Amino acid sequence: MAASEGSAPAPEASVWPDDDRVMVLIKFLPQPGKDAGSKVAFVPESCRACTQLHDPAFERFNIRESVIQLRVPRGRFLELAFTAGNADAARAFVNDQELALTRTGGRITLDLPPLAEDAVWAGAFATEIVETGVTLRLEHGDPVRRAGAYASGDFPFVERRAADNLTFAQREAIRRLGLGDYVAREKIGQIMLMGFDTNFPAAHTDAPPHVHMHLRWANNIGTQISHFYIAPDGLLTVNKVGIRGFNAPGQTLGRGQALTTIDRMGRAVYTHTITAQGALTITGPDGKATCTLLPAGAGFHLGVRLACGSFPAVTIRVEDDMTAGIITVMTGPLREVLRYDPQSGNLLSVNQPVSSPASTLNPD
């Protein structure tokens, strides 16, 4: 029977098809130097086609942040509202992109841009540095954000320091072996340098402590992902390798066993070996040039002594000041300073080449 003239229309169903929705994490941060206070909460009436989820592997509340988990319609312009109560929520992020927000009393409103796929990395706390052929990701081990496998027990300070030092030492080895230039020139992908997260972002367990150096093939069609595990003494134990994109099982390689990383054509790009003493060697694609990464003391948490062929040996030490948002990298006498947002981890230091005057450029 048709509705009579002038009667109110029936309310639309609030459920949107799940196959046309994506997951998003929205991270709310307080004013710098302030605690987050109480939890930020989603206002369902602001988006009846959205659903708030409460998976503890994604949702997060601590004095640093509120991380809200939602399923939202794919590819839509959405204005979302949240209640803040007495929470200090001055900033909002999706992945590493900051969104403008409006706060009126205890209500927050923000415009969510159209999303084509899941956007769940707002829960991470890391700084990324991109160079030719290489992406370096340094995770900040904040005990206040500890979660997942690191939620309780002794916090892995030694392993976290070792991972920082090893990550930048591998970066230096890549430069001395010419690997970044090589993978860029051959167009075979990007070398990824990473440590381990201690805050369980987006259900990423990332335990036990380890470092990575793997080649992500072009178009992300495959990779061999090494996990060089770090013992509580700051030395390396085994390399557990996950293989994606081609039909091969994972591997576990102990001390003295080598893993050669290949490109999509099956060519050797570099080889890692954990030594009998828990150190590390990296050999270039020609199988001749080798860098040795030795602990500068009892373990890698005290630094890395890097020796690469005819290059002078250097000691590499990394300091991460999470209060000031400063990463200091000492490579022998060379001191690098990288500044980042101490709340989000986003790199603040300029990471783009200096432009040349137009009058000096040669035409293509």
Side-chain angles (χ1 to χ4, degrees), residues 65-191:
E65 60 201 3
S66 285
V67 181
I68 309 296
Q69 181 191 16
L70 301 174
R71 289 193 69 80
V72 304
R74 185 190 311 273
R76 306 288 180 153
F77 293 86
L78 302 174
E79 184 179 81
L80 306 180
F82 303 82
T83 56
N86 65 351
D88 189 333
R91 310 174 71 191
F93 285 81
V94 170
N95 287 349
D96 59 359
Q97 180 178 340
E98 187 163 8
L99 305 180
L101 58 80
T102 301
R103 179 163 180 165
T104 305
R107 189 180 179 95
I108 298 169
T109 304
L110 59 81
D111 292 328
L112 184 69
L115 299 175
E117 58 187 9
D118 290 347
V120 298
W121 285 105
F125 183 42
T127 299
E128 296 189 344
I129 302 159
V130 179
E131 302 181 353
T132 301
V134 181
T135 298
L136 183 152
R137 181 177 187 267
L138 187 138
E139 303 81 4
H140 306 288
D142 182 2
V144 174
R145 289 181 168 96
R146 64 187 302 178
Y150 302 101
S152 60
D154 293 335
F155 194 76
F157 289 108
V158 167
E159 296 93 323
R160 186 60 262 165
R161 290 292 303 280
D164 293 350
N165 291 331
L166 282 164
T167 297
F168 276 91
Q170 288 190 110
R171 170 200 185 221
E172 188 66 23
I174 287 168
R175 290 183 170 204
R176 297 186 179 205
L177 293 170
L179 290 175
D181 291 335
Y182 174 79
V183 301
R185 184 173 63 251
E186 295 295 316
K187 297 181 174 59
I188 55 177
Q190 189 84 350
I191 297 173

Side-chain angles (χ1 to χ4, degrees), residues 40-339:
V40 174
F42 176 58
V43 177
E45 292 76 19
S46 68
C47 179
R48 292 175 56 82
C50 301
T51 304
Q52 183 173 7
L53 306 176
H54 300 284
D55 186 337
F58 292 85
E59 185 180 70
R60 202 63 45 80
F61 300 101
N62 54 56
I63 65 171
R64 299 276 198 263
E65 60 201 3
S66 285
V67 181
I68 309 296
Q69 181 191 16
L70 301 174
R71 289 193 69 80
V72 304
R74 185 190 311 273
R76 306 288 180 153
F77 293 86
L78 302 174
E79 184 179 81
L80 306 180
F82 303 82
T83 56
N86 65 351
D88 189 333
R91 310 174 71 191
F93 285 81
V94 170
N95 287 349
D96 59 359
Q97 180 178 340
E98 187 163 8
L99 305 180
L101 58 80
T102 301
R103 179 163 180 165
T104 305
R107 189 180 179 95
I108 298 169
T109 304
L110 59 81
D111 292 328
L112 184 69
L115 299 175
E117 58 187 9
D118 290 347
V120 298
W121 285 105
F125 183 42
T127 299
E128 296 189 344
I129 302 159
V130 179
E131 302 181 353
T132 301
V134 181
T135 298
L136 183 152
R137 181 177 187 267
L138 187 138
E139 303 81 4
H140 306 288
D142 182 2
V144 174
R145 289 181 168 96
R146 64 187 302 178
Y150 302 101
S152 60
D154 293 335
F155 194 76
F157 289 108
V158 167
E159 296 93 323
R160 186 60 262 165
R161 290 292 303 280
D164 293 350
N165 291 331
L166 282 164
T167 297
F168 276 91
Q170 288 190 110
R171 170 200 185 221
E172 188 66 23
I174 287 168
R175 290 183 170 204
R176 297 186 179 205
L177 293 170
L179 290 175
D181 291 335
Y182 174 79
V183 301
R185 184 173 63 251
E186 295 295 316
K187 297 181 174 59
I188 55 177
Q190 189 84 350
I191 297 173
M192 315 302 293
L193 293 174
M194 305 175 184
F196 63 99
D197 292 298
T198 55
N199 59 330
F200 195 37
H204 189 207
T205 302
D206 231 15
H210 54 274
V211 290
H212 303 265
M213 175 175 160
H214 65 270
L215 175 66
R216 184 171 293 165
W217 291 358
N219 300 315
N220 201 25
I221 61 173
T223 186
Q224 302 156 276
I225 305 177
S226 289
H227 302 75
F228 301 100
Y229 284 99
I230 307 169
D233 63 1
L235 298 174
L236 300 176
T237 56
V238 299
N239 178 14
K240 291 190 177 182
V241 186
I243 298 178
R244 297 179 184 173
F246 51 106
N247 189 23
Q251 304 175 55
T252 299
L253 305 171
R255 291 179 173 181
Q257 295 181 288
L259 174 78
T260 296
T261 292
I262 60 174
D263 64 15
R264 65 182 183 275
M265 280 79 76
R267 300 176 300 180
V269 181
Y270 53 80
T271 299
H272 279 85
T273 306
I274 299 176
T275 71
Q277 295 75 33
L280 187 67
T281 66
I282 306 173
T283 301
D286 61 2
K288 299 176 182 178
T290 296
C291 289
T292 301
L293 289 71
L294 297 168
F300 285 116
H301 57 295
L302 300 175
V304 179
R305 186 69 174 168
L306 177 68
C308 296
S310 61
F311 288 94
V314 291
T315 298
I316 297 167
R317 292 187 176 91
V318 179
E319 296 287 342
D320 182 12
D321 184 338
M322 286 182 285
T323 301
I326 298 175
I327 302 165
T328 304
V329 183
M330 295 299 304
T331 304
L334 174 63
R335 177 175 177 263
E336 292 181 86
V337 177
L338 298 102
R339 299 184 184 275

